Amino acid sequence: MTLERTGVDRGAQPVRITDVAALAGVSIGTASKALNGTGQLRDSTRARVKDAAEKLGFVGDARARALSSGRTYTVGMITTDSFGRFSIPVLLGAEDALSAGQMAVLLCDTRDDHVREAHYLRSLAARGVDGIIVTGRSADARPPIDVSIPVVYAFTPSTSADDVSITLDDEAGSAAVAAHVLTLGRSRVAVVTGPSRHRSAERRVAGAASVLGSRLVTPPLFGEWSERWGRQAVDVLARQSPDVDAIVCGSDQIARGVCDRLRELGRSVPGDVAVTGFDDWDVMALASRPPLTTVDLRLEELGRVAGQALLGLIDGGAAASASVAPALVIRESTAGP
Amino acid sequence: MTLERTGVDRGAQPVRITDVAALAGVSIGTASKALNGTGQLRDSTRARVKDAAEKLGFVGDARARALSSGRTYTVGMITTDSFGRFSIPVLLGAEDALSAGQMAVLLCDTRDDHVREAHYLRSLAARGVDGIIVTGRSADARPPIDVSIPVVYAFTPSTSADDVSITLDDEAGSAAVAAHVLTLGRSRVAVVTGPSRHRSAERRVAGAASVLGSRLVTPPLFGEWSERWGRQAVDVLARQSPDVDAIVCGSDQIARGVCDRLRELGRSVPGDVAVTGFDDWDVMALASRPPLTTVDLRLEELGRVAGQALLGLIDGGAAASASVAPALVIRESTAGP
């Protein structure tokens, strides 16, 4: 049972569990167990506590609290991403912010299925949730959902500028990593990234190019988000631009493939070629040989910001779209011996 | 029942059960029974009401339904695993089963923090959830939670035999992969796995050893769940048992490291040495060179079984502990050229 006061000022002083415990002549712990139906207590003790709670009008029960406030203290989180590498940290950050705001979170995994999404939206409406967070696996914008309660889009923005979308600042992250490469004294840099149709690939290239300028020795190589593409890109570069001294990659998977292939070709990282990733995905960035300098997406922070924005909207305040800047993480692939 | 329309024209009046009843040509009571699945009605009547409800976009209010049934149609899912590689598929499978049972799922991530877990249990009790699923990142048993509603443990079992725990049959998975290795004609097999204190490491070894018998040329090598340990283990085997012709690994990460190191030593996979993983974790199993024969944990299925068990308990039925057998997935690391 949640035993907090609900809100700052709902009229008279709310009754507290301490009041209930005092009236029943038991400890707070015992009162809590009695009201929650947990623990080993005598029936008579349980009954005495419940009587006291009733006499005082104690509202510890979330359902009662919901009825009295017209709110359900429940928020829906809709994700299209069953795999979860991107959406799960976002969900966790949002859940952190929302549970601090006494909100319970209903998880709705739509699996990229429009029918399933529509079903969930009806179900959330029927449950009277106070708001919805929408997330997904892609940074590409998606059409807004059609509901009349507060909604915040996290990581995956809405196509509507009227909506509140909290996104990742890919350009800033990529600019930071490119600037780091220049501070190492590298001057013949290549960029290897994912498919050009992906907003994140395109924006990461833009961020890096803005910093690298003429130090970019070849047009960005667009391919796929895979280690294999990283290995293939090294072969392309070995023919086209054999004097490259740094490779800025659009993901950790690509960077790991780049490192593997460079090693196979007898080129040292970072001695001959500095390599950077993007994502700070531990199983890639730390398992890479050498471990990768990369960009931490700070997705939990992004989720937290989204959760706080939603709490603000639910409380009747305003919230604006924002982007969260990722953080440079320096490891051996640029800073090694 | 409160009757709200979700969907396009939400500015319009919400659809009411009177509208549904009128369109179907039945009384309000009959319409209500048809939509709630209660009462004695002809199938054709029920179908007519449902058609009418669908045409009008009628959505019954879950809160009203909850009040009238004494249930909240809400289930808590508690996970200790913020990273989510194991727990998220379990959660998704459970959510799939539960949402088919009209249950909404409250996500509670305890982050391995007892205080946080206690907080969530109080919050779930306060919300009157109908049941709880407990999961986590480890297959090692955990102490039961102290609540008086139905609970099912998924992947991470309860230490109490009185509880319903749905677990992974590690031994069966490992026995299947060992049997596959023997069908390839391999006869000098090594096992490389994670820490011996982990139940899953120990049980996977037991499953493999039961099938391999004297074909196991060296005692199992226990280490860590990492690619690095896989690479190191190959060096150990190169000294101790250079004639090994198959290496059965306790995880895909280990197997990937094994493949990498074998390649570096000029040994072909599977030509010289067949290699198997465990987990079917795509970023490891598919990115490995060659791609790994491995064991699909079927965690979504495990979650689904757990969700169905919980639905059974909530409906007042019985449910028993069970284990889900993982499935062998054959790829190039054993079946290649």
Side-chain angles (χ1 to χ4, degrees):
Chain A
M1 187 165 295
T2 317
L3 311 164
E4 69 279 351
R5 290 156 178 268
T6 61
V8 229
D9 182 18
R10 289 188 197 282
Q13 280 296 328
V15 178
R16 300 167 182 232
I17 184 103
T18 47
D19 307 323
V20 175
L23 181 61
V26 298
S27 71
I28 295 173
T30 299
S32 172
K33 282 179 198 156
L35 293 167
N36 285 321
T38 56
Q40 303 293 326
L41 295 180
R42 278 189 298 193
D43 286 351
S44 60
T45 306
R46 217 179 277 281
R48 203 160 73 241
V49 172
K50 288 195 169 166
D51 279 355
E54 202 158 303
K55 265 184 202 133
L56 294 170
F58 173 76
V59 179
D61 186 299
R63 284 169 293 182
R65 189 177 53 147
L67 283 174
S68 68
S69 69
R71 286 168 51 174
T72 57
Y73 289 88
T74 306
V75 162
M77 274 213 282
I78 291 192
T79 173
T80 59
D81 176 7
S82 353
F83 177 59
R85 182 155 79 84
F86 296 113
S87 65
I88 291 302
V90 174
L91 295 179
L92 294 178
E95 193 254 11
D96 197 40
L98 292 167
S99 70
Q102 310 295 337
M103 290 286 184
V105 174
L106 289 167
L107 178 68
C108 307
D109 175 45
T110 68
R111 302 172 188 221
D112 263 339
D113 175 343
H114 291 291
V115 175
R116 214 174 151 105
E117 179 166 304
H119 159 78
Y120 274 123
L121 289 176
R122 283 194 302 272
S123 167
L124 290 174
R127 284 171 184 277
V129 295
D130 299 325
I132 295 178
I133 286 189
V134 177
T135 187
R137 75 160 64 80
S138 166
D140 296 337
R142 56 155 288 155
I145 60 173
D146 180 24
V147 295
S148 51
I149 54 174
V151 179
V152 171
Y153 297 80
F155 188 66
T156 302
S158 162
T159 48
S160 166
D162 297 338
D163 289 325
V164 176
S165 298
I166 312 296
T167 52
L168 182 74
D169 192 341
D170 280 298
E171 274 176 321
S174 196
V177 86
H180 167 65
V181 163
L182 294 186
T183 65
L184 301 170
R186 306 297 164 122
S187 58
R188 298 181 302 282
V189 186
V191 171
V192 178
T193 192
S196 60
R197 69 178 183 281
H198 282 190
R199 179 174 175 274
S200 52
E202 175 256 308
R203 293 198 52 190
R204 289 173 194 176
V205 164
S210 70
V211 169
L212 294 171
S214 63
R215 267 80 50 119
L216 204 53
V217 294
T218 173
L221 301 179
F222 290 96
E224 52 179 48
W225 301 114
S226 71
E227 296 181 54
R228 189 177 55 180
W229 164 235
R231 295 194 299 267
Q232 291 169 341
V234 168
D235 290 336
V236 172
L237 289 170
R239 288 192 300 273
Q240 287 186 358
S241 315
D243 60 346
V244 152
D245 61 12
I247 303 178
V248 170
C249 302
S251 79
D252 290 342
Q253 280 175 285
I254 293 171
R256 184 173 179 181
V258 164
C259 288
D260 280 349
R261 188 68 186 133
L262 286 169
R263 188 175 60 253
E264 288 167 7
L265 296 178
R267 312 213 56 199
S268 77
V269 176
D272 296 326
V273 184
V275 177
T276 62
F278 208 104
D279 288 344
D280 200 21
W281 188 17
D282 53 358
V283 295
M284 289 295 145
L286 297 178
S288 172
R289 291 185 283 168
L292 297 173
T293 289
T294 184
V295 175
D296 172 2
L297 303 186
R298 297 176 71 225
L299 294 175
E300 272 207 45
E301 175 61 15
L302 193 159
R304 215 167 278 125
V305 170
Q308 282 155 357
L310 187 64
L311 288 174
L313 290 174
I314 290 171
D315 283 339
S321 291
S323 67
V324 171
L328 182 65
V329 179
I330 297 176
R331 297 201 187 92
E332 291 89 321
S333 71
T334 61
Chain B
M1 197 175 275
T2 313
L3 319 160
E4 43 199 329
R5 195 197 262 270
T6 58
V8 244
D9 47 346
R10 61 174 186 262
Q13 282 297 326
V15 178
R16 298 167 179 242
I17 192 143
T18 47
D19 305 324
V20 176
L23 182 61
V26 299
S27 72
I28 294 174
T30 300
S32 172
K33 281 180 199 156
L35 293 168
N36 286 320
T38 55
Q40 303 291 326
L41 296 179
R42 277 191 297 193
D43 285 349
S44 60
T45 306
R46 215 178 278 281
R48 204 161 72 242
V49 172
K50 287 194 171 166
D51 278 353
E54 201 158 304
K55 268 186 200 129
L56 294 170
F58 170 79
V59 175
D61 188 304
R63 285 167 293 180
R65 185 177 54 146
L67 283 174
S68 68
S69 68
R71 284 167 52 173
T72 57
Y73 289 89
T74 306
V75 162
M77 275 214 280
I78 292 193
T79 172
T80 60
D81 177 7
S82 357
F83 178 59
R85 183 155 79 84
F86 296 113
S87 64
I88 292 300
V90 174
L91 296 178
L92 294 176
E95 192 254 9
D96 197 40
L98 292 167
S99 70
Q102 307 295 336
M103 290 284 184
V105 174
L106 288 167
L107 178 67
C108 306
D109 174 47
T110 68
R111 301 169 190 223
D112 262 341
D113 176 342
H114 290 291
V115 174
R116 216 175 150 104
E117 179 166 302
H119 160 78
Y120 274 121
L121 289 176
R122 284 194 301 272
S123 168
L124 290 174
R127 287 172 182 276
V129 296
D130 299 325
I132 296 178
I133 286 189
V134 177
T135 186
R137 75 160 64 78
S138 166
D140 297 335
R142 56 154 289 155
I145 59 173
D146 178 25
V147 294
S148 50
I149 53 174
V151 179
V152 171
Y153 297 80
F155 189 65
T156 301
S158 163
T159 49
S160 166
D162 297 338
D163 289 324
V164 176
S165 298
I166 311 298
T167 52
L168 182 73
D169 192 342
D170 280 299
E171 273 175 323
S174 196
V177 86
H180 167 67
V181 163
L182 295 186
T183 64
L184 301 170
R186 306 298 164 123
S187 59
R188 299 181 302 282
V189 187
V191 171
V192 178
T193 191
S196 59
R197 68 178 185 282
H198 282 190
R199 179 174 175 273
S200 51
E202 174 256 307
R203 294 198 52 193
R204 287 172 196 178
V205 164
S210 70
V211 170
L212 295 171
S214 63
R215 268 78 52 117
L216 203 55
V217 293
T218 172
L221 300 179
F222 291 97
E224 53 179 47
W225 302 114
S226 71
E227 295 181 55
R228 191 177 54 181
W229 163 236
R231 296 195 298 268
Q232 290 169 342
V234 168
D235 291 336
V236 171
L237 289 171
R239 288 193 300 274
Q240 287 186 358
S241 315
D243 60 345
V244 152
D245 62 12
I247 303 179
V248 170
C249 301
S251 79
D252 290 342
Q253 280 175 285
I254 293 171
R256 184 173 178 180
V258 163
C259 288
D260 280 348
R261 187 68 186 136
L262 286 169
R263 188 175 60 253
E264 287 168 7
L265 296 177
R267 312 212 56 199
S268 77
V269 176
D272 296 324
V273 184
V275 177
T276 62
F278 207 104
D279 288 344
D280 200 21
W281 187 17
D282 53 359
V283 295
M284 290 294 145
L286 296 178
S288 172
R289 291 185 283 168
L292 297 173
T293 288
T294 184
V295 175
D296 173 2
L297 304 187
R298 296 176 71 225
L299 293 176
E300 273 206 45
E301 175 62 15
L302 193 160
R304 217 168 275 124
V305 171
Q308 282 154 357
L310 187 64
L311 287 174
L313 290 175
I314 291 170
D315 284 340
S321 290
S323 66
V324 171
L328 183 65
V329 179
I330 296 175
R331 297 201 186 92
E332 290 90 321
S333 70
T334 61

